Amino acid sequence: MAIAISQEAFDAMVRENMEDLGMDADEALADAVEALSLQGADLSGIIKRVPGEAAAAEVSPVVRVLDELKASHSSSGGLGQDLDGLVSLIHELRGLCCSGDGSENTAVAVRNGGVEALVGLCASARIEQEKLLASALKALSSMLRDVESTEKFRQSEGPKIVMDILKGGSESSDLLDAGFSVVSAGSAGNEVVKESFMDLKVDELILHVMREKSKANVQSLYDAIRVLLTPDDNRVVASQVYGYSRRFAEIGIAEVLVSALGEKVAPSSLPSACAALKSIAVNDEICRSISENGGIDVLLQCIGEAGEQKNKVIAKSCCSLLSKLAASDANKSVIIQQGGFDRFLKLTSRFSEDPSIIQEVMSMVTVLTLRSPENAARAMEAGYGTLAIQAMQRFPSSGQTQKQACLMIRNLVVRNPENRTMLLNDGAEKLIRKAKGMHGSCRDAASSALRDLGLDNYNA
């Protein structure tokens, strides 16, 4: 981990270089930056200036905007009278954090109290000041990018303040979108913030919003579900998100998401909605309940429409979710009975030059044929043996495509010896050995495929 250093310590080092070592200003500054970098110090957000020559606000536009924002907020008992001016400052701050130098500007803002200032402003504003709140929330979400910033958000009681805004402003699509963007950004990579939101019953709020604002298509809400249910905090050995997923399913969010996929979600939000539902589908019971509520029907329909419209993003999202649901043996039968094999093959024909779609389809078929010789026989009859061969021939440089083809071939032959001869006659052995030699990521899958094809020298 990088060594933390404060602005004061950096300034002191520059001053010491000048006063004790006799360096000129530019040399002292450059030496401090170089020395601290070599020591592994984290200089992100540090304003590289010579102390005494220029104030931080003169060197950094971010500090200038923050100073003006704090001054305006502190006047008139919390919020100044010039709300339009305040909104303009917030827009300027957000623009700086989202610009080409956004990463460094964001770090400067976080080091100089930007998170605390925006949280405090949100706490002071009234729900009726919708434009101000939406602007502040959007700026805050752009500032929450790492554990340092999300911890400051938590310590400032950010989760409670944002939840209060979402509850009070649930009639405003702009506030909902901005508020749930903060839920996503604040929870990403921080297990403690996720826990804070769950303690505040964010799941019940999400269900309420989805039911009451069913046609609002708040994409950030779907993103919030996904982030809250993703174990992405490397500091934590055992995440609690599995239990959160079950809570989301128990109160009915999975059912409402299925309904939204079928009727209400805008195409631009559909991939996010699929990712949200996928994050809830963590066990066999939940996967079966999604199917019983029409989830598989909806996804097969969406896959067909995505193929017709050549919408790769939606096609991949739906296939990925369907692969997750297919982990349930009961769902495997439903997918196949509804013509899944034919639909997926038709999708690959529409995206014949796109290895990413073919990978998703082969992944689904791999799941559908796992421990099921009957499904493997049906897959071979439908043409998936040929698909594997053609994919390996057409995309030799795509390691992921080669690996996924090997995994699918394994399941097609491991319990169906009658399929081995067909694949070997089509040149499977040569293609698998070539993939094994070209791609290190394929070695294990290729060796297993060769073994299950009945070849003795599969490790050669």
Side-chain angles (χ1 to χ4, degrees):
M1 294 180 65
I3 300 169
I5 183 171
S6 66
Q7 182 71 53
E8 291 75 15
F10 178 84
D11 291 345
M13 187 170 185
V14 176
R15 190 180 297 108
E16 182 179 313
N17 283 345
M18 296 171 61
E19 296 175 355
D20 296 352
L21 302 180
M23 297 181 183
D24 62 38
D26 291 341
E27 184 184 8
L29 183 60
D31 181 80
V33 171
E34 181 181 6
L36 289 168
S37 298
L38 289 172
Q39 293 173 35
D42 178 12
L43 296 181
S44 60
I46 293 292
I47 301 171
K48 283 76 172 180
R49 61 173 177 174
V50 176
E53 287 195 358
E58 296 175 10
V59 177
S60 169
V62 175
V63 175
R64 174 187 59 78
V65 174
L66 276 174
D67 286 347
E68 293 180 25
L69 194 64
K70 292 172 186 176
S72 179
H73 182 206
S74 63
S75 66
S76 300
L79 287 175
Q81 299 301 313
D82 184 13
L83 293 183
D84 288 339
L86 200 55
V87 170
S88 179
L89 283 172
I90 295 170
H91 283 169
E92 185 177 357
L93 178 61
R94 186 182 178 216
L96 289 167
C97 291
C98 297
S99 66
D101 297 324
S103 179
E104 180 61 23
N105 285 339
T106 298
V108 170
V110 171
R111 278 187 182 266
N112 287 274
V115 172
E116 294 89 340
L118 289 171
V119 171
L121 190 151
C122 289
S124 301
R126 301 188 306 275
I127 291 297
E128 294 78 17
Q129 295 169 321
E130 180 182 325
K131 186 177 179 181
L132 175 63
L133 278 173
S135 298
L137 290 168
K138 288 174 184 176
L140 182 58
S141 68
S142 70
M143 210 175 282
L144 300 175
R145 297 189 178 183
D146 54 24
V147 172
E148 179 187 0
S149 57
T150 56
E151 274 300 294
K152 289 186 175 185
F153 171 69
R154 181 183 67 82
Q155 291 164 4
S156 304
E157 297 189 7
K160 182 181 185 305
I161 291 166
V162 171
M163 284 290 290
D164 288 341
I165 293 171
L166 285 169
K167 290 174 183 176
S170 61
E171 295 302 313
S172 167
S173 295
D174 285 344
L175 279 182
L176 289 175
D177 184 51
F180 280 116
S181 293
V182 175
V183 175
S184 299
S187 301
N190 195 318
E191 183 84 8
V192 186
V193 175
K194 294 183 204 288
E195 184 179 4
S196 296
F197 277 118
M198 291 301 293
D199 288 344
L200 292 164
K201 298 184 170 25
V202 69
D203 49 337
E204 296 178 9
L205 175 63
I206 287 172
L207 180 62
H208 171 76
V209 171
M210 290 183 70
R211 284 177 171 165
E212 297 300 318
K213 303 286 289 184
S214 58
K215 296 182 180 179
N217 283 313
V218 182
Q219 180 173 328
S220 61
L221 182 149
Y222 304 131
D223 294 335
I225 295 174
R226 173 183 55 80
V227 173
L228 286 166
L229 304 183
T230 300
D232 55 2
D233 190 337
N234 296 327
R235 303 169 302 168
V236 176
V237 177
S239 175
Q240 300 183 72
V241 299
Y242 178 78
Y244 299 160
S245 295
R246 287 185 297 165
R247 268 179 58 177
F248 272 63
E250 286 168 2
I251 67 173
I253 292 179
E255 182 181 344
V256 176
L257 273 171
V258 170
S259 176
L261 285 171
E263 301 173 10
K264 305 155 187 168
V265 176
S268 59
S269 298
L270 199 146
S272 295
C274 284
L277 188 55
K278 183 178 177 181
S279 68
I280 296 175
V282 295
N283 62 31
D284 187 80
E285 181 183 359
I286 296 172
C287 288
R288 282 189 286 108
S289 72
I290 291 172
S291 173
E292 290 163 2
N293 282 290
I296 289 175
D297 295 343
V298 169
L299 288 171
L300 290 173
Q301 181 181 343
C302 288
I303 287 171
E305 293 173 355
E308 292 172 3
Q309 298 164 7
K310 292 293 185 74
N311 192 318
K312 179 174 76 171
V313 175
I314 290 180
K316 288 179 66 176
S317 300
C318 292
C319 287
S320 178
L321 173 53
L322 201 56
S323 290
K324 186 77 173 285
L325 299 180
S328 165
D329 289 339
N331 288 351
K332 289 182 173 67
S333 300
V334 175
I335 293 169
I336 293 172
Q337 288 167 6
Q338 295 188 15
F341 278 148
D342 292 337
R343 292 175 189 243
F344 306 150
L345 211 55
K346 187 175 182 179
L347 184 69
T348 62
S349 70
R350 294 184 183 275
F351 292 94
S352 58
E353 299 303 318
D354 191 328
S356 65
I357 296 294
I358 295 172
Q359 288 168 28
E360 289 289 351
V361 169
M362 291 194 295
S363 175
M364 278 196 294
V365 175
T366 301
V367 175
L368 289 168
T369 53
L370 180 65
R371 298 187 304 274
S372 177
E374 181 181 349
N375 291 351
R378 289 182 177 179
M380 282 295 289
E381 291 172 7
Y384 283 95
T386 301
L387 177 68
I389 298 297
Q390 290 177 344
M392 297 186 81
Q393 291 172 334
R394 189 173 296 163
F395 307 108
S397 62
S398 172
Q400 188 59 38
T401 301
Q402 301 294 313
K403 179 180 179 180
Q404 196 57 62
C406 290
L407 292 172
M408 185 172 75
I409 287 171
R410 278 198 66 193
N411 285 4
L412 291 175
V413 301
V414 65
R415 301 192 183 194
N416 298 69
E418 70 278 7
N419 292 338
R420 297 172 185 169
T421 302
M422 297 169 60
L423 285 163
L424 290 170
N425 289 341
D426 286 340
E429 179 181 2
K430 181 178 179 181
L431 290 167
I432 294 171
R433 291 194 185 281
K434 181 180 177 181
K436 183 178 179 180
M438 285 183 64
H439 305 286
S441 59
C442 285
R443 286 175 187 164
D444 290 344
S447 295
S448 298
L450 292 169
R451 180 196 64 215
D452 292 337
L453 280 165
L455 301 171
D456 293 331
N457 58 340
Y458 56 85
N459 272 324

